[in-house]
Amino acid sequence: MEPGSKVTLRWRGKILRGVFVKEDKGFIVLKLSNGYNVGIPKDEAEILSVEGREHIGKPRFHYRPVQNPDLPKVGIAATGGTIAARVDYVTGAVTAEFTVEDLVNTFPELNELATLVPRQVSNIFSENMVPSIWREIARGVYELLKESDGVVVTHGTDTMHYSTAYLSFALSTPKPVVFTGAQRSSDRPSSDAALNLLSSVYVAGYSPLKGVFLSMHESSSDGWNAVHLGTRVRKMHTSRRDTFRSIGRDPVARVYIEARGGRIVRKEFQLLDPEWTREHPLELRDHLNENVALLKYFPGMKKELFERVLLEHDGVVIEGTGFGHVREELIPLIKEAVDSGVFVGITSQTIYGRTHSHVYSTAVKMEEAGAVFLEDMLPETAFAKLVWVLGQTKDLERARDLMLTNVAGEITERSGIEWKL
Ligand code: DAS
């Protein structure tokens, strides 16, 4: 059997269908249609059929984006991720592969929606993202915004919400910037890549939204995509296609695109929060300080570890417990760090709800030591914002004012106790 062959086999009375990846230590490794790999003991498997190789490699369509003056222009800034990847049947792993042109060539329906202006910013899985590439993305999107009606950023899902947060601060935009990705690569039957890309291009080209957003599946099945605010969204599941959830607020919009036989048969946009259609100037404010840390406190954290992280950085966001607490014996180290000019911000590892500096004595002492409680800002958003703030000032008072100023909806006026997990 060749890697990539479509195999049907019987094992312990069950019929399994998948793509042959490899033989490994007496096991047949198959990639199932849900994207997972399974290993079947070769001596227990009854091969029922082996068909030709699964389509792998470059996309099946080869067409160049047409310049259609009647359609909106949408920039596509590509950074990598599963949406631009395919399965490598030798290893069974997903490998970053497609260029932005390949991506555009994969879905001809895009030509019905917009004239696309592609730009390759990077081609990496987003676990490899670093803040200096956030700035490259911001600069690339800014250039595209000058010549288009909106921009889509294709990105890995693991750290997409960090990137949307940073661009929410580094860019002021009178047009939509929509990040999207995929949980399943486009050469998989269950891929969400097509729907996510088509939906995002539609939002970027046609919607009245202004700002930085993230659009992925609203539920695990195809249909509506949610449009989340870039500073209040988080990846909440390792594999579900509706992994991204708005936290502490509702999505700003939802979009429905349906394509059949290479044609778009339905497109709908529902605005849910008109706040995000307000005018903004186009401005690039790509301040950046990479010497910032995000530290999750855990019971028993060693004083030496806590001290090293605080003293080795210009700023640290701490994900504290409950209202934002750390162990009392660590509080003097906060004072030592702040006195030496380090910004210490406090968020909560509960993810939902607001930090409070006056409910428990622990937090009162932390605030007296100079820690800044960052309201209900998400930890990842606060980290991206501190990278941006300390790129423009090292003055702790100024940094505090900027961190507590609501720039892009990162702080909600009040945290309701309602929540939709
Ligand atoms: N590794 C993941 C990433 O690039 C793949 C993905 O979901 O896009 O974030």
Side-chain angles (χ1 to χ4, degrees), residues 80-83 124-127 155-159 182-183 235:
T82 289
I83 193 168
I124 56 174
F125 282 139
S126 73
E127 58 271 28
H155 191 292
T157 58
D158 287 15
T159 66
Q183 288 278 64
K235 182 171 184 177

Side-chain angles (χ1 to χ4, degrees), residues 142-416:
Y142 177 70
E143 291 309 317
L144 286 170
L145 282 169
K146 288 180 191 169
E147 57 170 313
S148 63
D149 299 294
V151 174
V152 169
V153 182
T154 55
H155 191 292
T157 58
D158 287 15
T159 66
M160 194 187 306
H161 52 291
Y162 289 82
S163 301
T164 58
Y166 177 75
L167 262 76
S168 298
F169 304 119
L171 262 184
S172 165
T173 167
K175 305 168 187 174
V177 175
V178 188
F179 277 70
T180 196
Q183 288 278 64
R184 311 268 160 78
S185 52
S186 57
D187 55 351
R188 310 289 336 136
S190 60
S191 176
D192 46 340
L195 200 65
N196 292 346
L197 192 55
L198 289 166
S199 304
S200 301
V201 166
Y202 184 58
V203 174
Y206 296 82
S207 84
L209 291 175
K210 296 163 176 56
V212 179
F213 308 96
L214 184 153
S215 183
M216 294 272 288
H217 274 49
E218 181 184 81
S219 74
S220 58
S221 49
D222 286 344
W224 287 96
N225 265 24
V227 183
H228 305 280
L229 187 62
T231 56
R232 297 288 324 176
V233 62
R234 201 168 182 276
K235 182 171 184 177
M236 299 296 280
H237 195 282
T238 53
S239 60
R240 282 178 65 105
R241 303 189 304 172
D242 57 345
T243 179
F244 283 97
R245 294 300 164 100
S246 287
I247 308 290
R249 62 153 295 138
D250 289 328
V252 299
R254 55 199 302 251
V255 52
Y256 191 108
I257 286 273
E258 188 178 346
R260 226 179 287 138
R263 309 283 306 173
I264 291 179
V265 295
R266 181 177 163 192
K267 43 185 191 265
E268 266 186 75
F269 175 82
Q270 284 179 6
L271 179 65
L272 303 176
D273 183 350
E275 161 79 11
W276 296 97
T277 60
R278 278 187 306 109
E279 270 314 310
H280 297 282
L282 177 58
E283 202 183 340
L284 178 63
R285 311 172 296 211
D286 57 344
H287 311 298
L288 189 90
N289 178 334
E290 296 191 89
N291 191 26
V292 174
L294 172 61
L295 177 67
K296 185 177 187 138
Y297 173 72
F298 56 88
M301 178 181 270
K302 286 191 172 69
K303 286 179 73 170
E304 302 70 38
L305 169 64
F306 189 75
E307 182 174 39
R308 247 193 87 192
V309 174
L310 262 57
L311 296 184
E312 284 188 7
H313 292 89
D314 295 335
V316 181
V317 170
I318 295 173
E319 263 192 67
T321 58
F323 284 127
H325 304 132
V326 298
R327 189 165 78 249
E328 270 212 55
E329 71 170 311
L330 301 179
I331 295 174
L333 296 175
I334 292 178
K335 178 160 178 30
E336 179 191 348
V338 172
D339 290 349
S340 68
V342 178
F343 182 92
V344 178
I346 305 296
T347 59
S348 174
Q349 54 193 253
T350 63
I351 304 299
Y352 284 83
R354 205 169 211 87
T355 57
H356 277 290
S357 58
H358 285 89
V359 177
Y360 291 96
S361 59
T362 311
V364 171
K365 292 172 188 161
M366 288 171 67
E367 192 167 59
E368 283 165 358
V372 179
F373 283 69
L374 297 173
E375 302 290 345
D376 67 338
M377 223 185 297
L378 295 178
E380 295 88 347
T381 297
F383 166 64
K385 187 172 182 181
L386 192 54
V387 165
W388 178 69
V389 163
L390 294 183
Q392 47 196 308
T393 181
K394 288 270 181 69
D395 173 81
L396 292 191
E397 273 313 302
R398 171 100 179 101
R400 182 185 189 286
D401 292 345
L402 285 168
M403 285 301 286
L404 291 175
T405 300
N406 198 4
V407 172
E410 68 274 18
I411 299 170
T412 64
E413 295 320 312
R414 55 168 218 89
S415 292

Side-chain angles (χ1 to χ4, degrees), residues 79-93:
T79 72
T82 289
I83 193 168
R86 68 172 180 79
V87 174
D88 175 338
Y89 288 103
V90 176
T91 63

Side-chain angles (χ1 to χ4, degrees), residues 76-81 83-84 96 98 100 103 119-126 129 133 136-137 141 152-156 160 163 179-180:
I76 305 261
T79 72
I83 193 168
F98 294 159
V100 59
L103 205 58
R119 186 183 184 102
Q120 193 85 41
V121 176
S122 61
N123 201 356
I124 56 174
F125 282 139
S126 73
M129 201 48 82
I133 303 179
E136 292 314 306
I137 299 171
V141 168
V152 169
V153 182
T154 55
H155 191 292
M160 194 187 306
S163 301
F179 277 70
T180 196

